[in-house]
Amino acid sequence: MKILLVFDFDNTIIDDNSDTWIVQCAPEKKLPIELQDSYEKGFWTEFMGRVFKYLGDKGVREDEMKRAMISMPFTPGMVELLNFIRKNKDKFDCIIISDSNSVFIDWVLEASNVHDVFDKVFTNPAAFDSDGHLTVENYHAHSCTRCPPNLCKNVVLVEFVGKQLQRGVNYTRIVYIGDGGNDVCPVTFLKKNDVAMPRKGYTLQKTLSKMSQNLEPMESSVVSWSSGVEIISHLQFLIKE
């Protein structure tokens, strides 16, 4: 009987946002105003498609983007946490559900040799086309009204847990580690045994604390963190239970 660990990527595993970090590859490290202004709320993936096209048109190549991406720092204590999980893989399954993209996440996990820690990565699929432009697509379509059209993390989580159950894998609890507004949806569906672990000072934590002030019910316990080392302590406590 294992615990399922669910990680967000941007501002959770890495200490920045991969989509905004890549802008440093642009001429003068910034995007033209008209491109910045083309973002429509809820359509971030489409916006990033235009950003990647702009970078490609300006001659930014794959190796340059990769160099930038793998220079992103991990959040404090995250490398220690991932090493702890690796040592205890008999007790944990581990997945990423992220609104970044498959190319960026693969680069970071491979460069830091932590690919083996994660059983599965759910994110927007990306690839370089024949012109050397990075292209990105929506992860899926869904009918959740709370989430952007390209990704509902709760739908992904529920489907994964359901498929695992069909394979005979039943998790004792889910621990959800994230930071952002798009982590609110999956976290509110967690059950009594589960643990929501929002990063201190970020949108998810602020939203959950507002919800508790408004007495909006949440079944799971909430344990906030600033460093991966605090997450290790809580996981050690859970596996002793």
Side-chain angles (χ1 to χ4, degrees), residues 143-205:
S143 54
C144 173
T145 53
R146 301 207 282 184
C147 292
N150 65 297
L151 180 66
C152 169
K153 294 188 175 191
N154 185 55
V155 168
V156 174
L157 180 54
V158 169
E159 278 176 5
F160 175 76
V161 170
K163 279 185 184 148
Q164 289 292 87
L165 205 48
Q166 286 169 357
R167 294 175 54 218
V169 180
N170 189 8
Y171 296 110
T172 53
R173 56 163 54 95
I174 297 169
V175 178
Y176 192 105
I177 302 156
D179 72 282
N182 63 359
D183 296 312
V184 174
C185 184
V187 159
T188 50
F189 284 99
L190 294 175
K191 302 284 183 285
K192 189 167 88 246
N193 256 355
D194 301 333
V195 188
M197 298 200 75
R199 188 177 182 187
K200 280 180 192 156
Y202 284 72
T203 306
L204 177 61
Q205 190 241 330

Side-chain angles (χ1 to χ4, degrees), residues 118-137:
F118 298 98
D119 300 288
K120 214 152 172 39
V121 176
F122 300 93
T123 187
N124 304 300
F128 284 89
D129 66 15
S130 53
D131 297 325
H133 291 177
L134 183 59
T135 61
V136 62
E137 293 168 28

Side-chain angles (χ1 to χ4, degrees), residues 7 37 45 50 56 78 90 94 99 134 144 149 152 174 186 188-189 197 200 203 217-218 220 238-239:
F7 280 85
D37 289 348
T45 310
R50 294 191 292 276
M78 192 52 60
D90 57 323
C94 201
D99 208 355
L134 183 59
C144 173
C152 169
I174 297 169
T188 50
F189 284 99
M197 298 200 75
K200 280 180 192 156
T203 306
M218 239 188 79
S220 75
L238 293 178
I239 55 184

Side-chain angles (χ1 to χ4, degrees), residues 70-137:
I70 65 179
S71 72
M72 253 189 317
F74 279 81
T75 49
M78 192 52 60
V79 172
E80 291 86 340
L81 170 59
L82 297 179
N83 285 329
F84 169 79
I85 296 165
R86 180 189 279 127
K87 286 193 192 97
N88 292 278
K89 274 301 276 175
D90 57 323
K91 300 181 184 73
F92 302 113
D93 277 353
C94 201
I95 64 173
I96 291 173
I97 310 177
S98 165
D99 208 355
S100 178
N101 70 69
S102 56
V103 166
F104 288 177
I105 294 176
D106 280 349
W107 280 344
V108 170
L109 298 185
E110 275 167 16
S112 47
N113 284 325
V114 290
H115 232 292
D116 59 310
V117 173
F118 298 98
D119 300 288
K120 214 152 172 39
V121 176
F122 300 93
T123 187
N124 304 300
F128 284 89
D129 66 15
S130 53
D131 297 325
H133 291 177
L134 183 59
T135 61
V136 62
E137 293 168 28

